[in-house]
Amino acid sequence: MKDEHHLAVMHWGTYRVATDNGTITSVSPVEWDKNPSRIGQSLADGVTSEARVKRPSVRLGYLQHGPASREGRGKEPFVEVSWEVALDLVAREMRSVKARCGNEAIFGGSYGWASAGRFHHAQSQLHRFLKGFGGYTASTNTYSSAAGERVLPHILGPLSPLHRQHTHWSELERECQLFVAIGGLPLRNAQVNGGAANDHMLKHWLDRLQQRGVRFINISPVKNDLSAVPDARWLAIKPGTDTALLLALCQVLVSEDLVDHGFIASHTVGFAPFRAYLLGESDGVVKTPQWAAAITGLDAGDITALARTMAASRTMINISWSIQRARQGEQAYWATVALTALLGQIGTPGGGLAFGYACTNLAGAARAVFSGPRLPAGKNQVNSVIPVARLSDMLLNPGGEYAFDGQTLRYPDIRLVYWAGGNAFHHHQDLNRLVEAWRQPETVVVNEQYWTAQARHADIILPVTTSLEREDIGSGGHDGFMIAMRQLIAPVAEARDDYAIFCGLAERLGFGERFSEGRSPAAWLRKLYDDSRPRAQEEGITLPPFDDFWQQGVLEYAPPAKPQVFLAEFRADPQRYPLSTPSGKIELFSDTVAAFGYRECPGHAWWDDEEAQYQQQQAQQWPLHLLSSQPRTRLHSQFDHGSVSRATKIQGREPLWMHPDDAAARGITHGSVVRVFNQRGAILAGAQVSDQILRGVVQISTGAWYDPLDPSQPGSLDKHGNPNVLTEDRGSSRLGQGCSAQSCRVEIEAWREPLPPITVFDQPAFTASPQDVG
Ligand SMILES: Nc1nc2c(c(=O)[nH]1)N[C@H]1C(S)=C(S)[C@@H](COP(=O)(O)OP(=O)(O)OC[C@H]3O[C@@H](n4cnc5c(=O)[nH]c(N)nc54)[C@H](O)[C@@H]3O)O[C@H]1N2
Ligand SMILES: Nc1nc2c(c(=O)[nH]1)N[C@H]1C(S)=C(S)[C@@H](COP(=O)(O)OP(=O)(O)OC[C@H]3O[C@@H](n4cnc5c(=O)[nH]c(N)nc54)[C@H](O)[C@@H]3O)O[C@H]1N2
Ligand SMILES: [Mo]
């Protein structure tokens, strides 16, 4: 029996961590993981690195002049203060904002992945604290898939429960003949799963499907998005054009009468107007393969052949989340639903559709479903919510009106921003605009472990423990495991848990007892666990008493007896198991969406020529399409300072993939540093020249910590390679208002000046207290 007492649970895996006198000496994957992630190796040097926030810190100008000094955000040095001083300062400002402007003026959306662990989950702690204080302005939906999350309820059903119902890989192994992967199936992304990823299984299942003779098609601008399947056919599509391809495939099915008329009649509504659109009856344009070929860059014959093969085979069509993280991202999802409805294979064991096999280690997992222990949420007294990716819009336009999924709403006037467990200077688009927006509120408070750009742009930074420095319960949705996370090392420097921080603040604000309920973290773990036992039981999982669990260290739930098949019940009996859409059926035409009256979202999936023209116009000045994909060597910005991520940088800069022809045309050589720029800003990156990427497309991972050359200059060059300096901050559409990072155009040139050093992994500038400064 291996020692189960030194397990660290991360979003990308569970590891045995050996320590010696507070130092991590080794990190090894657990033996039950089929394909462990290398990212864990960054724990060894990352957790105790120079990048840690060591003591509570306050921006100098804020300490001297308070909110009036907000122009200094991100530019001034910090002053280290005691916990007493820092917490008093935060409590004073919170009370003041509440008294003057009400709780709505506090933004607590605080989007982000934080760390694994159910009790110390940073957002849950912050939200519970802010609810106790009377509420806050929140955010809704995710950066991952807001466009999909908003369109699917109108046409198929809410995405989050659908994610949990994906057909198990074992069923695909038995029945699937053709697997069409829009956006590929990158092993890279399946390294992670929110909360835990104990057993990485994508490679295992892709191997088995290949052995069974399943054919794969990779529809992506990047060949290695399906590198796990060497024989996969690569259809190198231009980014942002998948909807045109999908519509043309539908058109072939209709004009060659390959549609499943029975399924359409029994399981869908709105076929007639959609058919009329495909055949050009409503707009004079037949959505032929020739039409799509001109848009997508694919061969018209290939499109026709693909439609026929799809109809003749048991076909699974998987669309990755990236495709909808774009302008008009809603349409790609709607067109996928429409195509698979016409094929009539939805609900069959090996066919139909899926949203994100390989986006995480979740879809297809033949694991027991149990949502795990969770902190009681409570009710937010404030009814103010923004779409998550409209952060800068909100800060720049207090009181401004905007449209969202059929509603007309107004942005609140935010005076205090409190962030814990996320990094907006990683995740938000158009960072130079965010820098400006971020200077609007009076006060910005950030709980952080590391000196990320977000911490550097705050007024008050409170240092937080990592999960190795505290006790918790590890459990990820669909993961099939629950793990006791013991404290492995002492808190680094003066770091405290988010919980301890909020206890300290709640006490100062007069609701300490109500917030803590008198419980230590250990007492909370026991409560969370006990509260979850009946919910586990409902799913057929019997959890042992807490003490047994804690002693044992690892629980693995038995997999379900019958592997699940996506929407099988709906297929079998749509009357008895209707969808939650208005009609109870798949909506090829949605009266609800049509009634919103949005030009860009009519009542059915469509190709938006106006948006396409806008993109073409951009292309004249900015010829390269920039994709910003998820990183292989870290989770978003987390552990970019760690050895695994840093080992892959090129001269310290984030690698950027480009085609040899695009490189040659600009005099760029493999391994050199380049400047990537557009009307919004400029970054440095390292050229990774490869013919695995379509000409005219470049790809960089997200997550390099934003490192402006001169933070006092607006629009300063980012020395490091954060693509969000370049991305456009526009919603996917008025329907979803999602992140549209993938719709981005740039130009690139060789960098011939001396290389500025990367400084973002060092401590920021500190100064003595203002009294000493005089
Ligand atoms: N250009 C572009 N941008 C994108 C995307 C894209 O495809 N392209 N993808 C988007 C997507 S899908 C996502 S999900 C977002 C991800 O964006 P985020 O989830 O915001 O990114 P993370 O780097 O995971 O940020 C988590 C932060 O929380 C901190 N943290 C970790 N544990 C704790 C804790 O216990 N307490 C506290 N207080 N802090 C903690 C970490 O140090 C880190 O700074 O990015 C989005 N941005
Ligand atoms: N290692 C690691 N894994 C992760 C994460 C991480 O940070 N690190 N983050 C996790 C999170 S929060 C999320 S939301 C998921 C995201 O999962 P996805 O959104 O699917 O991930 P991406 O890497 O952005 O995109 C996958 C691929 O889609 C292709 N692609 C981009 N645009 C287009 C297009 O217009 N058409 C086509 N056909 N293909 C396109 C790109 O080549 C890219 O490699 O990943 C998760 N997995
Ligand atoms: Mo995400």
Side-chain angles (χ1 to χ4, degrees):
M1 186 71 188
K2 283 273 178 72
D3 181 13
E4 309 291 23
H5 287 191
H6 297 99
L7 294 176
V9 178
M10 317 304 286
H11 294 300
W12 51 89
T14 296
Y15 303 86
R16 290 180 201 289
V17 173
T19 58
D20 182 14
N21 241 334
T23 334
I24 299 166
T25 51
S26 79
V27 177
S28 357
V30 289
E31 59 284 357
W32 58 79
D33 191 339
K34 286 190 199 63
N35 187 24
S37 161
R38 252 174 9 100
I39 302 175
Q41 296 308 320
S42 273
L43 288 173
D45 56 292
V47 168
T48 50
S49 91
E50 241 331 86
R52 278 297 288 264
V53 181
K54 294 182 178 155
R55 277 166 285 279
S57 302
V58 183
R59 180 171 58 78
L60 175 65
Y62 191 84
L63 213 47
Q64 290 171 318
H65 310 295
S69 71
R70 56 188 185 232
E71 274 305 312
R73 231 164 254 155
K75 304 176 192 165
E76 294 169 0
F78 293 97
V79 180
E80 294 190 325
V81 300
S82 69
W83 272 106
E84 290 304 305
V85 168
L87 293 177
D88 285 350
L89 210 52
V90 177
R92 187 190 76 193
E93 270 322 300
M94 289 189 66
R95 214 182 280 118
S96 158
V97 167
K98 182 184 172 103
R100 285 180 290 119
C101 313
N103 282 77
E104 187 186 278
I106 300 172
F107 184 65
S110 187
Y111 183 83
W113 269 57
S115 293
R118 287 313 180 105
F119 173 65
H120 290 291
H121 182 243
Q123 279 81 21
S124 306
Q125 289 289 348
L126 173 64
H127 292 159
R128 192 164 170 278
F129 162 70
L130 290 176
K131 283 170 185 166
F133 186 57
Y136 62 98
T137 290
S139 63
T140 183
N141 298 117
T142 62
Y143 275 83
S144 315
S145 33
E149 285 160 21
R150 283 288 157 175
V151 73
L152 285 179
H154 299 301
I155 60 173
L156 186 69
L159 186 53
S160 171
L162 290 178
H163 273 148
R164 288 194 294 275
Q165 293 162 24
H166 273 58
T167 301
H168 284 167
W169 284 111
S170 57
E171 291 295 295
L172 291 171
E173 184 191 19
R174 283 200 305 116
E175 303 274 344
C176 179
Q177 295 172 315
L178 176 67
F179 194 116
V180 179
I182 307 176
L185 294 163
L187 291 176
R188 173 189 83 218
N189 290 354
Q191 287 179 100
V192 315
N193 179 42
N198 264 282
D199 184 10
H200 293 91
M201 56 195 109
L202 181 63
K203 180 157 188 328
H204 166 82
W205 285 112
L206 289 181
D207 286 349
R208 291 188 52 161
L209 265 63
Q210 287 172 84
Q211 279 158 22
R212 285 275 304 171
V214 178
R215 280 165 300 145
F216 285 84
I217 298 182
N218 175 28
I219 300 181
S220 171
V222 183
K223 182 166 188 218
N224 71 354
D225 278 345
L226 198 40
S227 57
V229 182
D231 292 339
R233 170 114 199 265
W234 181 29
L235 294 182
I237 193 168
K238 285 187 193 164
T241 68
D242 303 82
T243 299
L245 168 65
L246 291 160
L247 292 169
L249 292 167
C250 289
Q251 189 274 337
V252 175
L253 297 182
V254 168
S255 61
E256 299 192 2
D257 200 25
L258 296 171
V259 299
D260 185 333
H261 291 288
F263 187 84
I264 290 170
S266 52
H267 289 76
T268 76
V269 295
F271 178 55
F274 181 55
R275 182 177 181 279
Y277 170 71
L278 294 173
L279 299 181
E281 288 164 15
S282 47
D283 65 353
V285 181
V286 190
K287 310 306 172 301
T288 59
Q290 289 73 20
W291 167 81
I295 298 169
T296 58
L298 299 177
D299 177 79
D302 283 348
I303 298 175
T304 308
L306 179 58
R308 290 175 187 159
T309 316
M310 283 174 164
S313 319
R314 184 48 64 85
T315 303
M316 168 55 76
I317 300 178
N318 180 61
I319 183 156
S320 74
W321 302 347
S322 54
I323 318 296
Q324 55 79 65
R325 216 176 302 114
R327 289 283 299 164
Q328 293 291 66
E330 294 83 359
Q331 301 306 320
Y333 267 36
W334 202 342
T336 301
V337 171
L339 172 62
T340 52
L342 300 198
L343 286 166
Q345 300 188 28
I346 293 173
T348 63
L353 82 169
F355 306 99
Y357 283 109
C359 289
T360 65
N361 191 39
L362 183 154
R367 292 279 178 183
V369 183
F370 161 50
S371 61
R374 53 178 182 236
L375 197 66
K379 192 173 160 22
N380 189 354
Q381 301 296 320
V382 172
N383 182 23
S384 165
V385 182
I386 62 154
V388 69
R390 302 278 49 81
L391 173 65
S392 294
D393 282 358
M394 169 186 74
L395 295 174
L396 291 167
N397 305 300
E401 199 178 86
Y402 67 100
F404 179 37
D405 201 2
Q407 305 157 269
T408 303
L409 301 167
R410 272 183 196 288
Y411 289 119
D413 184 356
I414 298 301
R415 303 303 177 92
L416 186 144
V417 170
Y418 202 134
W419 224 287
N423 183 356
F425 284 76
H426 159 75
H427 66 232
H428 196 60
Q429 284 56 66
D430 197 347
L431 289 184
N432 287 314
R433 183 167 186 254
L434 177 65
V435 168
E436 189 198 332
W438 199 254
R439 291 198 175 117
Q440 304 305 312
E442 296 169 6
T443 299
V444 177
V445 187
V446 169
N447 293 3
E448 248 301 343
Q449 300 163 333
Y450 303 100
W451 278 109
T452 62
Q454 168 141 310
R456 287 165 197 265
H457 283 80
D459 298 324
I460 305 168
I461 301 92
L462 303 176
V464 177
T465 52
T466 67
S467 50
L468 272 57
E469 297 151 56
R470 56 202 189 201
E471 285 186 339
D472 214 329
I473 297 173
S475 140
H478 248 238
D479 183 56
F481 285 82
M482 188 160 0
I483 293 179
M485 300 165 67
R486 290 185 171 74
Q487 184 180 344
L488 302 175
I489 57 172
V492 168
E494 291 184 21
R496 290 185 184 175
D497 305 339
D498 292 289
Y499 177 64
I501 292 171
F502 294 130
C503 282
L505 288 173
E507 217 159 275
R508 283 167 173 78
L509 294 167
F511 63 103
E513 181 62 27
R514 192 153 42 83
F515 178 71
S516 72
E517 298 181 10
R519 285 193 191 87
S520 65
W524 272 109
L525 294 191
R526 187 177 291 272
K527 176 184 161 51
L528 263 49
Y529 181 89
D530 285 342
D531 287 354
S532 79
R533 290 177 74 190
R535 279 190 289 114
Q537 201 63 59
E538 276 169 32
E539 306 298 338
I541 299 166
T542 304
L543 295 179
F546 178 80
D547 290 316
D548 294 359
F549 157 62
W550 197 255
Q551 185 48 40
Q552 217 169 305
V554 178
L555 296 182
E556 185 178 355
Y557 326 136
K562 199 169 157 289
Q564 73 185 356
V565 172
F566 194 42
L567 296 173
E569 287 181 333
F570 167 66
R571 179 183 188 84
D573 191 343
Q575 259 65 47
R576 191 153 164 227
Y577 302 104
L579 302 176
S580 58
T581 57
S583 60
K585 297 186 179 179
I586 295 169
E587 305 222 344
L588 300 174
F589 187 94
S590 162
D591 291 328
T592 312
V593 172
F596 294 162
Y598 300 149
R599 182 207 65 80
E600 73 275 28
C601 300
H604 54 74
W606 79 313
W607 175 251
D608 183 359
D609 264 324
E610 203 172 303
E611 177 63 26
Q613 276 162 22
Y614 170 79
Q615 297 294 340
Q616 271 162 19
Q617 207 186 321
Q618 295 288 305
Q620 290 177 358
Q621 200 176 357
W622 314 110
L624 300 169
H625 193 124
L626 176 79
L627 295 178
S628 43
S629 308
Q630 304 293 350
R632 184 165 53 88
T633 57
R634 53 185 181 258
L635 174 69
H636 317 131
S637 70
Q638 295 190 44
F639 287 90
D640 185 38
H641 64 288
S643 53
V644 176
S645 174
R646 287 170 82 168
T648 61
K649 306 252 174 175
I650 294 176
Q651 300 187 51
R653 323 294 134 160
E654 190 61 31
L656 172 125
W657 288 62
M658 66 191 304
H659 191 274
D661 293 352
D662 292 326
R666 292 166 178 81
I668 291 165
T669 52
H670 183 73
S672 65
V673 171
V674 295
R675 178 172 169 270
V676 191
F677 58 101
N678 63 15
Q679 66 271 52
R680 288 176 289 276
I683 65 174
L684 297 185
Q688 177 98 36
V689 179
S690 165
D691 61 5
Q692 307 271 300
I693 188 163
L694 181 64
R695 249 180 232 94
V697 182
V698 294
Q699 188 187 41
I700 191 169
S701 293
T702 62
W705 289 8
Y706 172 61
D707 196 2
L709 183 63
D710 180 358
S712 67
Q713 293 301 314
S716 168
L717 173 78
D718 166 37
K719 299 178 278 182
H720 193 188
N722 185 322
N724 278 326
V725 171
L726 305 163
T727 52
E728 192 175 7
D729 186 11
R730 281 209 296 170
S732 51
S733 77
R734 283 174 286 182
L735 190 123
Q737 289 289 10
C739 162
S740 65
Q742 305 307 333
S743 303
C744 179
R745 317 237 20 140
V746 298
E747 180 52 292
I748 298 185
E749 62 186 18
W751 175 260
R752 307 203 190 276
E753 290 167 46
L755 262 187
I758 301 295
T759 49
V760 70
F761 297 134
D762 306 333
Q763 294 277 303
F766 289 106
T767 180
S769 80
Q771 291 90 307
D772 302 341
V773 173

